[in-house]
Amino acid sequence: MKKFILILLLCAAPAAFLMAQENNKTPEQREKEMYEAIQAQVDHLTESLELEGWQTFYVDSILTHDYKALQAEIAALSASKVSNADLFYDAQDKWMEKMYQSLHKVFNEEQWSKYLKSGAQRDKKARDKRAAKKNK
């Protein structure tokens, strides 16, 4: 039993340390990380879908706007001390759906097909399933 508790503590300590480090980040650090993640996603989409320059511009604009809006909505929910996780999922689903619809307008049919096969279709089905469950 002592070994089990010791192993549990050893496994939990690094996770708690990492969570504490995440909470100690400044807003500037979080914003920088968000922009780096967006840029990585834009680069990935540009390369994998062979986007033209104008498409890359729109993808970057869409992701930047919508992720910032999602972040603001989640911050507002957190500031309101909302404890219902479903509200956070609803906010995320709302903005992910907006991104999905906006990107559909930017991509041509071949690019859209590749995008769906890269995991977007699975994510869309999951969002639709959560929405149907919520509306019941």
Side-chain angles (χ1 to χ4, degrees):
M1 183 68 172
K2 287 183 183 180
K3 286 183 183 180
F4 175 75
I5 293 173
L6 181 62
I7 291 172
L8 183 64
L9 288 174
L10 289 175
C11 291
F17 176 73
L18 290 175
M19 288 176 63
Q21 279 185 329
E22 182 70 27
N23 290 335
N24 290 335
K25 290 183 181 178
T26 65
E28 293 82 18
Q29 288 172 321
R30 288 188 192 129
E31 187 171 347
K32 181 182 176 193
E33 289 176 357
M34 180 186 74
Y35 284 122
E36 288 172 354
I38 290 170
Q39 189 59 48
Q41 191 172 4
V42 169
D43 292 343
H44 171 73
L45 290 171
T46 300
E47 185 178 315
S48 65
L49 303 178
E50 300 171 4
L51 299 180
E52 296 180 27
W54 68 270
Q55 289 175 308
T56 301
F57 172 78
Y58 277 109
V59 167
D60 184 48
S61 298
I62 290 165
L63 295 181
T64 301
H65 173 269
D66 290 354
Y67 276 124
K68 284 178 74 175
L70 171 61
Q71 187 179 34
E73 191 167 336
I74 287 176
L77 288 171
S78 294
S80 299
K81 308 263 190 237
V82 172
S83 61
N84 185 352
D86 289 339
L87 294 175
F88 289 93
Y89 283 118
D90 291 346
Q92 182 178 357
D93 285 348
K94 176 179 96 175
W95 287 104
M96 292 306 201
E97 183 64 24
K98 287 185 181 200
M99 282 184 243
Y100 179 88
Q101 297 300 330
S102 298
L103 292 175
H104 191 195
K105 294 174 185 175
V106 174
F107 298 155
N108 64 34
E109 289 304 314
E110 181 183 332
Q111 292 166 333
W112 184 246
S113 177
K114 284 182 185 178
Y115 177 68
L116 290 176
K117 289 177 185 175
S118 71
Q121 191 168 23
R122 179 189 65 235
D123 297 340
K124 171 74 170 149
K125 284 181 183 178
R127 281 194 307 275
D128 290 347
K129 185 176 179 180
R130 283 191 295 271
K133 184 178 176 182
K134 179 182 168 188
N135 291 332
K136 278 189 175 182

